[in-house]
Amino acid sequence: MSTEVQPIEVVWLKRDARLHDHGPLALVSQSTNPFVVLYLYEPDQLQAPTVHGSHIRFYNEGLRELDDKLSGMRRPSSEGGAQSKDLCAITSCYANAVETLTALHRNRPIGRLLAHEETGHFASYQRDRRVRRWCKENGVRCIELNQSGVTRRLKDRDDFSAKLNEFLGKAQYPTADPARIRQRLLTSTELNLPNSCGILNPEDISEIPEEDRADRKERQRGGETEAMAILETFLRRRAQEYQKGISSPNTSWSSCSRLSPYLAWGQISVRHVVQATKKRQAEIKAQRAAGAPISGDWGRSLGAFLSRMHWRSHFMQKLEVEPLIEKRAMHPAYNHLRRQEGDWNQEYYEAWAEGRTGFPFVDACMRCLINCGWINFRMRAMVVSFAAYNLWLDWRNFDSAL
């Protein structure tokens, strides 16, 4: 009689806490094998200087919502409005990726690891290489799916636009049925993994410095439902002012899409946003052709928004192809600039980061960033340029303030 253990499959969540257009969840829902939905609070990623407590809280809100959908539960807030740290469907661990996969593989042999490709900082690039190497050494099939329009191992940059448009034009992945998922889903109580943790708040994560654990008081709330609602208000009402309102730090609050954190953390898919925008373009065109009175500059505004969505993937592709541009100048002749003895001025840096330079426009933008976690892209470019050129600060060392 055979005692062979049936292999399991692992859906590894990274920047993709959502149900719609989710390739790994769509694939695993069509399988017959048991599987686990895994999220990791990875110490080697959390020690990056760009990590902030508001990021953790924002992602946790999306993670909790996805867990509610997968488990079919809607857990009430406890006394005082605090959310439970328990996860019912998603298994989370406070550990690095290879460490967790090794423990899981020892307990229940893994047949497939399914994840979305991620173009992040250099640390995540190195992490993904370690995971792929681990999969190869352990006979685990590693399937990484595109979610951003970025092409991994792109041989010719001239092919980028064609490949991006092909990706954006494809049908979205079918939304996985949570009821079907629950039939074969393995939970953390069944797996008994070391470092299993549920939801971790910033104060639980030692890699985040204490001064960076606080929340942004007026930041946007995370979650797929919130992302979809913001997209809807943009396409139905706010987008008509996009073209002429995106540059001003005052008008951009409503005329910009405000989707950037949801796109960055994968709580809404790029393809869904682009396809919904094109559908709205077609609706407006049909309404105008039928003689409906359509006010606002919808055509140019929606076209400009789609152009910037293309820019987003374009610059991510540059980082994918050249991950070390995070650490060195685009031209090596400039690598020594701002790196000589005495170039770094800590007093200047602190004044800039806290909005105390004495330049009102710069200070207003930095204080807004501290409070809300968001300023429009032209203001981001302005405060970075001021720090790098006017204050002569090394751009490699001030990203934590942004």
Side-chain angles (χ1 to χ4, degrees):
M1 182 176 178
S2 174
T3 58
E4 184 177 347
V5 178
Q6 183 181 17
I8 67 169
E9 302 186 335
V10 177
V11 173
W12 179 18
L13 298 176
K14 291 188 277 187
R15 289 175 175 251
D16 52 356
R18 63 175 187 273
L19 201 55
H20 76 279
D21 198 22
H22 197 292
L25 285 175
L27 283 182
V28 83
S29 68
Q30 298 165 6
S31 173
T32 58
N33 291 330
F35 65 92
V36 57
V37 179
L38 179 68
Y39 179 72
L40 301 175
Y41 294 92
E42 303 167 81
D44 62 353
Q45 305 298 306
L46 292 167
Q47 63 190 6
T50 52
V51 176
H52 190 271
S54 59
H55 301 155
I56 305 300
R57 288 183 174 88
F58 182 91
Y59 193 84
N60 282 349
E61 288 159 1
L63 194 67
R64 185 177 282 109
E65 181 183 343
L66 178 60
D67 189 72
D68 285 347
K69 290 178 178 178
L70 293 177
S71 65
M73 298 179 66
R74 176 66 64 180
R75 290 156 296 177
S77 297
S78 59
E79 187 177 351
Q83 291 280 353
S84 167
K85 291 187 176 184
D86 294 333
L87 290 170
C88 300
I90 298 170
T91 296
S92 65
C93 295
Y94 185 19
N96 291 327
V98 169
E99 173 189 348
T100 304
L101 292 172
T102 300
L104 183 55
H105 192 55
R106 189 182 301 119
N107 186 17
R108 296 289 297 266
I110 302 171
R112 293 196 302 178
L113 175 66
L114 303 105
H116 279 124
E117 293 174 346
E118 179 183 4
T119 301
H121 47 50
F122 191 65
S124 68
Y125 170 80
Q126 292 177 309
R127 183 270 319 273
D128 287 346
R129 292 186 65 182
R130 290 193 295 270
V131 168
R132 286 193 292 272
R133 184 166 58 248
W134 180 90
C135 287
K136 186 175 181 180
E137 291 171 352
N138 288 274
V140 174
R141 187 182 175 196
C142 181
I143 300 175
E144 294 179 287
L145 302 172
N146 195 340
Q147 72 164 344
S148 63
V150 170
T151 301
R152 187 156 283 181
R153 293 175 287 277
L154 183 68
K155 294 181 180 179
D156 190 338
R157 287 279 294 278
D158 291 341
D159 295 336
F160 166 71
S161 289
K163 289 182 178 294
L164 173 62
N165 290 331
E166 179 186 5
F167 166 78
L168 294 174
K170 287 182 179 178
Q172 296 177 42
Y173 291 110
T175 300
D177 179 4
R180 186 173 179 181
I181 280 179
R182 288 194 288 273
Q183 295 172 4
R184 291 177 293 105
L185 179 66
L186 298 170
T187 63
S188 58
T189 54
E190 299 171 87
L191 296 167
N192 195 29
L193 282 173
N195 303 309
S196 182
C197 63
I199 291 281
L200 284 188
N201 291 321
E203 55 270 21
D204 304 319
I205 301 171
S206 60
E207 287 77 15
I208 303 177
E210 285 191 28
E211 62 270 20
D212 292 335
R213 294 178 188 174
D215 205 355
R216 310 281 192 196
K217 292 181 181 179
E218 297 185 41
R219 66 168 173 85
Q220 293 173 260
R221 301 297 108 179
E224 183 177 18
T225 299
E226 188 73 14
M228 291 295 190
I230 288 174
L231 174 63
E232 181 71 9
T233 66
F234 178 65
L235 293 180
R236 293 294 159 186
R237 177 169 49 84
R238 296 183 292 110
Q240 62 181 313
E241 303 296 332
Y242 180 82
Q243 175 72 357
K244 59 183 182 180
I246 57 173
S247 297
S248 165
N250 294 324
T251 59
S252 59
W253 286 91
S254 57
S255 58
C256 279
S257 74
R258 305 305 305 276
L259 290 171
S260 54
Y262 305 98
L263 289 165
W265 293 101
Q267 295 176 3
I268 195 168
S269 85
V270 173
R271 183 159 52 190
H272 180 84
V273 171
V274 168
Q275 291 182 3
T277 303
K278 289 185 175 181
K279 181 180 179 182
R280 179 62 173 149
Q281 280 182 315
E283 286 178 4
I284 292 170
K285 185 176 180 180
Q287 289 170 358
R288 280 187 168 147
I294 305 293
S295 61
D297 195 4
W298 283 98
R300 288 182 62 190
S301 286
L302 290 177
F305 176 68
L306 286 174
S307 176
R308 282 166 176 81
M309 290 295 293
H310 188 284
W311 288 5
R312 180 180 183 273
S313 293
H314 167 77
F315 286 107
M316 289 176 67
Q317 183 70 59
K318 288 176 72 71
L319 187 60
E320 175 70 32
V321 173
E322 303 175 73
L324 283 173
I325 61 175
E326 175 191 339
K327 297 179 175 294
R328 63 190 185 198
M330 292 290 288
H331 195 293
Y334 299 121
N335 273 327
H336 70 286
L337 293 180
R338 305 178 184 83
R339 307 200 83 180
Q340 305 306 304
E341 185 177 353
D343 278 352
W344 180 261
N345 189 314
Q346 184 66 18
E347 184 179 354
Y348 282 6
Y349 167 73
E350 291 176 3
W352 172 77
E354 296 169 10
R356 298 185 290 100
T357 67
F359 291 81
F361 195 26
V362 174
D363 291 346
C365 288
M366 293 304 294
R367 292 176 189 179
C368 178
L369 193 57
I370 291 168
N371 199 50
C372 305
W374 184 89
I375 50 176
N376 64 323
F377 75 107
R378 292 199 190 281
M379 296 306 103
R380 278 190 176 270
M382 183 272 294
V383 297
V384 168
S385 296
F386 183 86
Y389 293 105
N390 297 77
L391 302 182
W392 203 245
L393 297 174
D394 187 350
W395 54 269
R396 301 165 186 84
N397 296 330
F398 61 62
D399 50 356
S400 61
L402 300 169

